[in-house]
Amino acid sequence: MIALTVADDEDAAARTTAERIASAIAAARAERGVAHVALAGGRTPGRTYRRLAHLPVDWRDVHLWLGDERAVPPGDPDSNERLVRDTLLAEPLDPPPLLHSVRGVDADPAAAAAAYEAELRALVPGDPPRLDVALLGLGEDGHTASLFPDDAALEEDERLCVAVHGLKPPFGRVTMTLPLLRAARKLILLAEGAGKAWAIGVTLNGPSARVPASLLADANVELITDRTGAPA
Ligand code: 6PG
Protein backbone atom coordinates (compact mmCIF):
# COMPACT_ATOMS: atom_id res chain seq x y z
CA MET A 1 0.00 0.00 0.00
CA ILE A 2 1.29 3.46 -0.80
CA ALA A 3 0.21 6.22 1.55
CA LEU A 4 0.65 9.76 0.24
CA THR A 5 1.78 12.65 2.44
CA VAL A 6 1.87 16.10 0.86
CA ALA A 7 3.99 18.61 2.78
CA ASP A 8 3.83 22.35 2.14
CA ASP A 9 7.35 22.66 0.80
CA GLU A 10 10.75 20.95 0.64
CA ASP A 11 11.62 21.95 4.16
CA ALA A 12 8.41 20.52 5.60
CA ALA A 13 8.90 17.34 3.55
CA ALA A 14 12.41 16.97 5.00
CA ARG A 15 11.12 17.55 8.53
CA THR A 16 8.38 14.94 8.12
CA THR A 17 10.79 12.45 6.60
CA ALA A 18 13.33 12.92 9.38
CA GLU A 19 10.60 12.44 11.98
CA ARG A 20 9.41 9.23 10.30
CA ILE A 21 12.93 7.81 10.24
CA ALA A 22 13.47 8.77 13.89
CA SER A 23 10.19 7.06 14.90
CA ALA A 24 11.08 3.91 12.97
CA ILE A 25 14.47 3.80 14.70
CA ALA A 26 12.89 4.23 18.12
CA ALA A 27 10.29 1.50 17.44
CA ALA A 28 12.90 -0.92 16.15
CA ARG A 29 15.23 -0.33 19.12
CA ALA A 30 12.33 -0.76 21.55
CA GLU A 31 11.16 -3.98 19.91
CA ARG A 32 14.40 -5.61 18.82
CA GLY A 33 17.21 -3.63 20.49
CA VAL A 34 18.71 -2.71 17.14
CA ALA A 35 17.69 -0.70 14.07
CA HIS A 36 18.65 -1.21 10.45
CA VAL A 37 18.12 1.83 8.24
CA ALA A 38 18.82 2.19 4.51
CA LEU A 39 19.50 5.69 3.20
CA ALA A 40 19.17 7.23 -0.25
CA GLY A 41 21.59 9.33 -2.28
CA GLY A 42 21.06 12.20 -4.68
CA ARG A 43 20.40 15.88 -4.01
CA THR A 44 17.10 15.63 -2.14
CA PRO A 45 17.84 13.80 1.13
CA GLY A 46 20.66 16.02 2.48
CA ARG A 47 18.12 18.36 4.03
CA THR A 48 16.44 15.39 5.74
CA TYR A 49 19.75 14.05 7.06
CA ARG A 50 20.68 17.43 8.55
CA ARG A 51 17.33 17.58 10.31
CA LEU A 52 17.63 14.00 11.51
CA ALA A 53 20.97 14.82 13.10
CA HIS A 54 19.19 17.33 15.35
CA LEU A 55 16.36 15.07 16.46
CA PRO A 56 16.63 13.32 19.83
CA VAL A 57 17.51 9.88 18.44
CA ASP A 58 19.28 7.23 20.50
CA TRP A 59 21.85 6.10 17.94
CA ARG A 60 23.14 3.12 19.93
CA ASP A 61 22.86 -0.07 17.88
CA VAL A 62 21.67 1.78 14.80
CA HIS A 63 23.08 0.46 11.54
CA LEU A 64 23.01 2.66 8.45
CA TRP A 65 23.07 1.03 5.02
CA LEU A 66 23.09 2.58 1.56
CA GLY A 67 20.19 1.72 -0.72
CA ASP A 68 22.52 2.35 -3.60
CA GLU A 69 26.04 3.59 -4.18
CA ARG A 70 27.82 5.03 -7.17
CA ALA A 71 31.09 3.48 -8.44
CA VAL A 72 33.30 6.24 -7.09
CA PRO A 73 35.71 6.40 -4.12
CA PRO A 74 34.06 7.15 -0.74
CA GLY A 75 35.42 10.72 -0.65
CA ASP A 76 34.16 11.62 -4.14
CA PRO A 77 31.50 14.38 -4.27
CA ASP A 78 29.21 11.89 -6.11
CA SER A 79 29.50 9.26 -3.39
CA ASN A 80 26.32 8.55 -1.44
CA GLU A 81 28.44 7.58 1.54
CA ARG A 82 30.02 11.01 1.43
CA LEU A 83 26.57 12.63 1.39
CA VAL A 84 25.67 10.82 4.62
CA ARG A 85 29.02 11.64 6.21
CA ASP A 86 28.76 15.34 5.25
CA THR A 87 25.22 15.75 6.59
CA LEU A 88 23.93 13.32 9.22
CA LEU A 89 27.36 12.24 10.44
CA ALA A 90 28.80 15.75 10.35
CA GLU A 91 27.04 16.36 13.66
CA PRO A 92 28.53 14.98 16.89
CA LEU A 93 26.21 12.00 17.47
CA ASP A 94 27.24 10.15 20.61
CA PRO A 95 27.65 7.30 20.01
CA PRO A 96 27.54 7.58 16.22
CA PRO A 97 25.50 5.04 14.23
CA LEU A 98 27.47 2.47 12.27
CA LEU A 99 27.56 3.28 8.55
CA HIS A 100 28.09 0.27 6.29
CA SER A 101 30.05 1.36 3.21
CA VAL A 102 29.74 -0.42 -0.11
CA ARG A 103 33.42 -1.26 0.01
CA GLY A 104 35.28 -1.55 -3.28
CA VAL A 105 32.38 -0.23 -5.38
CA ASP A 106 34.75 1.95 -7.40
CA ALA A 107 37.02 -1.01 -8.26
CA ASP A 108 34.59 -3.87 -8.88
CA PRO A 109 30.85 -3.13 -8.48
CA ALA A 110 29.77 -6.77 -8.91
CA ALA A 111 32.11 -7.99 -6.19
CA ALA A 112 31.10 -5.07 -3.98
CA ALA A 113 27.41 -5.93 -4.45
CA ALA A 114 28.02 -9.57 -3.47
CA ALA A 115 29.99 -8.51 -0.39
CA TYR A 116 27.32 -5.99 0.64
CA GLU A 117 24.64 -8.65 0.30
CA ALA A 118 26.68 -11.02 2.49
CA GLU A 119 27.07 -8.28 5.10
CA LEU A 120 23.33 -7.59 5.07
CA ARG A 121 22.52 -11.30 5.43
CA ALA A 122 24.97 -11.62 8.33
CA LEU A 123 23.69 -8.64 10.30
CA VAL A 124 20.04 -7.96 9.46
CA PRO A 125 17.57 -10.53 10.84
CA GLY A 126 15.13 -12.28 8.52
CA ASP A 127 15.26 -14.19 5.24
CA PRO A 128 15.21 -12.04 3.26
CA PRO A 129 16.65 -9.63 5.80
CA ARG A 130 14.11 -7.08 7.02
CA LEU A 131 15.37 -3.51 7.12
CA ASP A 132 13.41 -1.46 9.64
CA VAL A 133 13.14 1.53 7.37
CA ALA A 134 14.50 2.36 3.93
CA LEU A 135 14.52 5.87 2.50
CA LEU A 136 14.30 6.00 -1.27
CA GLY A 137 14.41 8.81 -3.80
CA LEU A 138 12.85 9.09 -7.22
CA GLY A 139 14.72 10.34 -10.28
CA GLU A 140 13.11 12.50 -12.94
CA ASP A 141 13.70 9.55 -15.28
CA GLY A 142 11.69 7.31 -12.94
CA HIS A 143 14.50 5.41 -11.18
CA THR A 144 14.59 4.64 -7.49
CA ALA A 145 17.71 3.57 -5.56
CA SER A 146 19.68 2.54 -8.69
CA LEU A 147 16.81 0.51 -10.13
CA PHE A 148 16.37 2.12 -13.53
CA PRO A 149 13.30 1.96 -15.78
CA ASP A 150 12.87 -1.37 -17.57
CA ASP A 151 16.26 -2.60 -16.35
CA ALA A 152 16.98 -6.34 -16.06
CA ALA A 153 17.69 -5.79 -12.33
CA LEU A 154 13.93 -5.41 -11.83
CA GLU A 155 13.58 -9.14 -12.58
CA GLU A 156 15.99 -10.12 -9.83
CA ASP A 157 14.30 -12.39 -7.33
CA GLU A 158 17.18 -13.89 -5.37
CA ARG A 159 20.06 -11.49 -5.03
CA LEU A 160 19.60 -8.63 -2.58
CA CYS A 161 22.20 -6.32 -4.14
CA VAL A 162 23.40 -6.15 -7.72
CA ALA A 163 25.70 -4.07 -9.89
CA VAL A 164 23.98 -2.08 -12.64
CA HIS A 165 24.87 0.30 -15.42
CA GLY A 166 22.68 3.31 -14.71
CA LEU A 167 21.17 5.82 -17.10
CA LYS A 168 22.65 8.75 -15.25
CA PRO A 169 26.31 9.44 -14.37
CA PRO A 170 28.14 8.03 -12.53
CA PHE A 171 26.95 5.02 -14.56
CA GLY A 172 28.49 2.23 -12.49
CA ARG A 173 26.32 1.53 -9.44
CA VAL A 174 25.40 -1.01 -6.80
CA THR A 175 21.78 -1.16 -5.75
CA MET A 176 19.51 -2.98 -3.36
CA THR A 177 16.96 -5.04 -5.30
CA LEU A 178 13.20 -5.29 -5.10
CA PRO A 179 13.11 -8.44 -2.89
CA LEU A 180 15.18 -6.70 -0.20
CA LEU A 181 13.26 -3.43 -0.40
CA ARG A 182 9.87 -5.17 -0.38
CA ALA A 183 10.81 -6.97 2.84
CA ALA A 184 11.48 -3.71 4.72
CA ARG A 185 9.11 -2.89 7.57
CA LYS A 186 8.69 0.61 6.17
CA LEU A 187 9.71 2.29 2.93
CA ILE A 188 9.74 6.06 2.64
CA LEU A 189 9.81 7.50 -0.85
CA LEU A 190 10.84 11.16 -0.73
CA ALA A 191 10.27 12.92 -4.05
CA GLU A 192 9.48 16.53 -4.67
CA GLY A 193 9.28 19.07 -7.48
CA ALA A 194 7.22 19.44 -10.62
CA GLY A 195 9.78 17.47 -12.67
CA LYS A 196 8.95 14.34 -10.66
CA ALA A 197 5.17 14.75 -10.63
CA TRP A 198 4.68 12.35 -13.56
CA ALA A 199 6.76 9.63 -11.86
CA ILE A 200 4.92 10.20 -8.59
CA GLY A 201 1.63 9.74 -10.49
CA VAL A 202 2.82 6.45 -12.02
CA THR A 203 4.10 5.27 -8.62
CA LEU A 204 0.67 5.83 -7.12
CA ASN A 205 -1.21 4.32 -10.05
CA GLY A 206 1.23 1.60 -11.22
CA PRO A 207 2.58 -1.01 -11.43
CA SER A 208 4.85 -0.13 -14.33
CA ALA A 209 8.48 -1.10 -14.94
CA ARG A 210 8.86 2.40 -16.37
CA VAL A 211 8.84 3.68 -12.76
CA PRO A 212 10.37 0.96 -10.57
CA ALA A 213 9.06 2.49 -7.33
CA SER A 214 5.57 1.50 -8.47
CA LEU A 215 6.70 -2.14 -8.21
CA LEU A 216 6.99 -1.68 -4.43
CA ALA A 217 3.28 -1.00 -3.96
CA ASP A 218 2.74 -4.32 -2.16
CA ALA A 219 5.11 -3.17 0.61
CA ASN A 220 4.45 -0.64 3.36
CA VAL A 221 5.30 2.57 1.50
CA GLU A 222 4.80 6.20 2.44
CA LEU A 223 5.38 8.63 -0.42
CA ILE A 224 6.29 12.07 0.90
CA THR A 225 6.19 14.96 -1.51
CA ASP A 226 5.66 18.71 -1.58
CA ARG A 227 2.86 20.66 -3.24
CA THR A 228 4.71 20.92 -6.55
CA GLY A 229 5.15 17.14 -6.80
CA ALA A 230 1.65 16.23 -5.66
CA PRO A 231 -0.81 14.78 -8.17
CA ALA A 232 -3.53 17.25 -9.18
C1 6PG B 1 21.28 7.89 -6.42
C2 6PG B 1 19.99 7.65 -5.76
C3 6PG B 1 18.79 7.91 -6.52
C4 6PG B 1 18.20 9.23 -6.11
C5 6PG B 1 17.33 9.80 -7.20
C6 6PG B 1 16.82 11.17 -6.86
O1 6PG B 1 22.30 7.53 -5.87
O2 6PG B 1 21.28 8.45 -7.51
O3 6PG B 1 19.94 7.10 -4.52
O4 6PG B 1 17.84 6.90 -6.49
O5 6PG B 1 17.47 9.07 -4.93
O6 6PG B 1 18.11 9.90 -8.37
O7 6PG B 1 17.88 12.03 -6.89
P1 6PG B 1 17.73 13.59 -6.60
O8 6PG B 1 17.38 13.68 -5.16
O9 6PG B 1 19.10 14.12 -6.88
O10 6PG B 1 16.68 14.09 -7.50
Side-chain angles (χ1 to χ4, degrees):
M1 192 206 70
I2 301 186
L4 176 66
T5 298
V6 181
D8 279 347
D9 54 24
E10 290 180 355
D11 211 38
R15 191 170 61 241
T16 301
T17 305
E19 285 166 359
R20 297 289 198 273
I21 295 171
S23 303
I25 290 172
R29 292 191 70 263
E31 285 161 33
R32 289 174 293 283
V34 61
H36 291 281
V37 180
L39 297 175
R43 283 168 290 116
T44 310
R47 199 186 288 259
T48 295
Y49 299 155
R50 286 193 194 88
R51 285 211 167 256
L52 184 56
H54 292 283
L55 292 181
V57 174
D58 185 344
W59 291 102
R60 277 174 300 167
D61 300 308
V62 178
H63 295 252
L64 302 180
W65 302 88
L66 298 168
D68 70 324
E69 181 58 288
R70 291 98 175 262
V72 295
D76 189 283
D78 277 330
S79 156
N80 288 342
E81 170 170 344
R82 177 164 174 186
L83 167 71
V84 176
R85 291 198 184 282
D86 285 353
T87 54
L88 178 61
L89 300 182
E91 297 301 325
L93 307 176
D94 185 24
L98 180 63
L99 174 61
H100 296 270
S101 316
V102 186
R103 279 186 294 278
V105 65
D106 49 330
D108 184 343
Y116 209 53
E117 171 166 340
E119 198 172 337
L120 281 155
R121 287 194 189 276
L123 292 175
V124 184
D127 184 20
R130 294 198 74 189
L131 294 161
D132 293 296
V133 59
L135 177 67
L136 298 168
L138 189 62
E140 292 193 3
D141 60 4
H143 78 275
T144 199
S146 281
L147 294 167
F148 285 85
D150 302 312
D151 195 87
L154 301 179
E155 306 298 324
E156 184 58 53
D157 57 9
E158 281 179 17
R159 286 179 298 168
L160 307 180
C161 299
V162 294
V164 296
H165 182 86
L167 297 176
K168 169 182 163 188
F171 295 109
R173 289 160 180 250
V174 165
T175 186
M176 291 185 175
T177 58
L178 293 173
L180 176 59
L181 294 173
R182 285 193 183 112
R185 289 189 169 80
K186 181 173 176 77
L187 296 175
I188 302 173
L189 190 55
L190 173 63
E192 53 209 21
K196 297 183 181 180
W198 75 273
I200 291 171
V202 176
T203 301
L204 293 169
N205 297 304
S208 163
R210 181 69 191 82
V211 177
S214 70
L215 305 178
L216 294 166
D218 49 353
N220 173 25
V221 186
E222 179 175 4
L223 195 165
I224 300 176
T225 188
D226 64 353
R227 284 191 183 153
T228 61

